[in-house]
Amino acid sequence: MKRVRKNKRTEQHHRGEQLRRLLSPRTFLQRHAQVALDSLGRLYRNRISSLMTATVIAIAMAMPAGLYLLLDNLGRLSGSWDGQASMSVFLKNSVPASTAEKLAKSVRQWPEVGSVQLVTPEQALEEFTERSGFADVLDVLDENPLPAVLIVLPADDYSNPAAASTLRDRFSRLPETELAQLDLQWVQRLSAILEIARRGILVISSLLALAVLLVIGNTIRLEIQNRREEILVTKLIGATNGFVRRPFLYSGIWYGILGAIIAWLLVESGFWLLSEPVSRLAGLYQSDFHLETLPLVLLWVLVMGGMCLGLLGSWLAVGRHLDAIEPT
């Protein structure tokens, strides 16, 4: 009798140890790591088809990433002018240089004005000659046709479009002014175009994300069908749906990660090919602008987005097709 009670206590102790071992976080992580590596090994053994699927996913992810990066570079190109209501005040040709200097000095005292730069006709002609490339043509002119110009930057409190327009009207009423032009309008138009493009990228990204879900879901569905017999045998020996589902979920995650990495390589390669011609074009306009590639933060967002899409696509496919496979 004592031996029987001892054997029962020993058996209960072993069962408790097994239960604690099964429920421990270390065992949980070890099993998930084992399944994740096994899923990656399956992808490697079918590397040709896996690479083709990952490349299709990468193309769908690279398009919105590349468009977003292109818009970011365009926004950076106009960033130095964004919000700066620069104004060009063209004076009449009859205004002498001394009067233009006095006017510039007087305008600097206005509370609405932050800074004023006087560009004399000689300076304007010299700058135009350097940038236009028409030096030979300009040399035959009898007189300088360019007027003096005041480059005005409003004060910080008057740099918004409404206040800048009021300041332009004040300059237009000066007797020395021929034309007062506000240089903020093209920046506003560019900002509006970029905002429309950003909204368009969101729409395109949503459609391509749906395409990624469909590609991953269809791939997992085919894998479930190919492993139907294996799934039936596994369920016959007592495996739960959660146990059977886990490898397919990790396969979807790996597809998403591989697709994100390939998408990053595609975007980086494309911008690397464009960087030299863009820099050369910017140099022709005396600019040091150069294309920026994907920062590490956006790369991390791309990888995490691929993981989430892969997990969601595989979860939808497994939930729909795995339950239909039951042993009879």
Side-chain angles (χ1 to χ4, degrees):
M1 184 66 69
K2 291 182 179 179
R3 183 177 298 176
V4 172
R5 287 198 296 268
K6 183 178 181 181
N7 290 337
K8 286 184 178 180
R9 287 196 299 269
T10 304
E11 184 178 354
Q12 291 175 355
H13 176 73
H14 286 313
R15 288 180 179 177
E17 288 293 332
Q18 291 178 355
L19 183 60
R20 283 192 294 271
R21 194 180 303 115
L22 289 175
L23 296 178
S24 66
R26 181 178 179 181
T27 303
F28 177 82
L29 294 176
Q30 286 178 347
R31 289 190 173 184
H32 276 269
Q34 181 181 3
V35 175
L37 293 176
D38 181 69
S39 300
L40 183 60
R42 287 181 179 273
L43 295 184
Y44 178 76
R45 286 190 290 274
N46 300 285
R47 48 187 173 273
I48 300 300
S49 59
S50 300
L51 182 61
M52 293 175 63
T53 302
T55 303
V56 173
I57 297 171
I59 294 173
M61 298 180 68
M63 290 182 63
L67 290 175
Y68 174 82
L69 188 58
L70 180 61
L71 282 183
D72 182 70
N73 280 278
L74 289 176
R76 189 169 55 85
L77 177 61
S78 62
S80 57
W81 298 288
D82 193 11
Q84 295 294 324
S86 175
M87 188 180 306
S88 299
V89 181
F90 297 90
L91 304 182
K92 296 178 180 178
N93 289 328
S94 58
V95 176
S98 58
T99 304
E101 292 178 359
K102 291 180 181 179
L103 178 62
K105 185 177 180 180
S106 174
V107 167
R108 290 190 182 98
Q109 308 302 320
W110 293 4
E112 305 97 326
V113 174
S115 64
V116 177
Q117 177 187 359
L118 173 62
V119 180
T120 63
E122 292 76 17
Q123 292 173 340
L125 182 62
E126 181 181 357
E127 182 179 356
F128 181 74
T129 302
E130 292 177 356
R131 297 192 177 187
S132 65
F134 297 124
D136 296 338
V137 177
L138 296 174
D139 288 339
V140 303
L141 296 177
D142 296 332
E143 59 181 9
N144 187 355
L146 300 178
V149 182
L150 297 179
I151 307 298
V152 180
L153 287 179
D156 294 337
D157 296 337
Y158 298 89
S159 59
N160 59 82
S165 299
T166 303
L167 181 60
R168 179 195 58 188
D169 295 338
R170 183 177 179 182
F171 273 106
S172 300
R173 292 192 294 268
L174 294 176
E176 298 88 355
T177 301
E178 179 71 27
L179 173 66
Q181 182 176 356
L182 185 61
D183 299 333
L184 183 64
Q185 295 178 355
W186 73 271
V187 178
Q188 293 176 320
R189 295 189 186 103
L190 178 60
S191 298
I193 293 173
L194 292 179
E195 182 61 28
I196 294 174
R198 291 188 184 96
R199 300 290 180 90
I201 289 178
L202 288 178
V203 176
I204 294 174
S205 300
S206 301
L207 295 176
L208 292 176
L210 179 60
V212 171
L213 289 177
L214 294 176
V215 170
I216 294 178
N218 186 64
T219 302
I220 298 300
R221 180 187 65 83
L222 293 176
E223 188 174 350
I224 292 174
Q225 296 300 324
N226 293 333
R227 297 172 61 182
R228 181 183 180 88
E229 299 298 329
E230 178 185 344
I231 294 172
L232 286 174
V233 173
T234 305
K235 286 190 172 184
L236 283 173
I237 61 177
T240 62
N241 282 339
F243 179 84
V244 178
R245 183 186 298 115
R246 196 176 301 158
F248 298 105
L249 297 181
Y250 274 106
S251 296
I253 291 175
W254 286 122
Y255 277 123
I257 293 175
L258 291 176
I261 293 175
I262 297 175
W264 172 71
L265 293 175
L266 291 175
V267 173
E268 289 288 318
S269 301
F271 275 78
W272 178 76
L273 291 174
L274 292 174
S275 60
E276 183 179 354
V278 169
S279 298
R280 191 163 54 246
L281 177 62
L284 296 176
Y285 290 93
Q286 289 78 41
S287 173
D288 58 351
F289 175 79
H290 61 280
L291 288 176
E292 292 285 349
T293 55
L294 277 175
L296 293 179
V297 175
L298 290 181
L299 174 60
W300 177 251
V301 171
L302 192 64
V303 172
M304 293 301 296
M307 290 178 58
C308 294
L309 290 175
L311 179 61
L312 181 59
S314 58
W315 180 275
L316 294 175
V318 170
R320 180 178 179 182
H321 300 284
L322 190 59
D323 294 337
I325 302 178
E326 293 291 341
T328 57

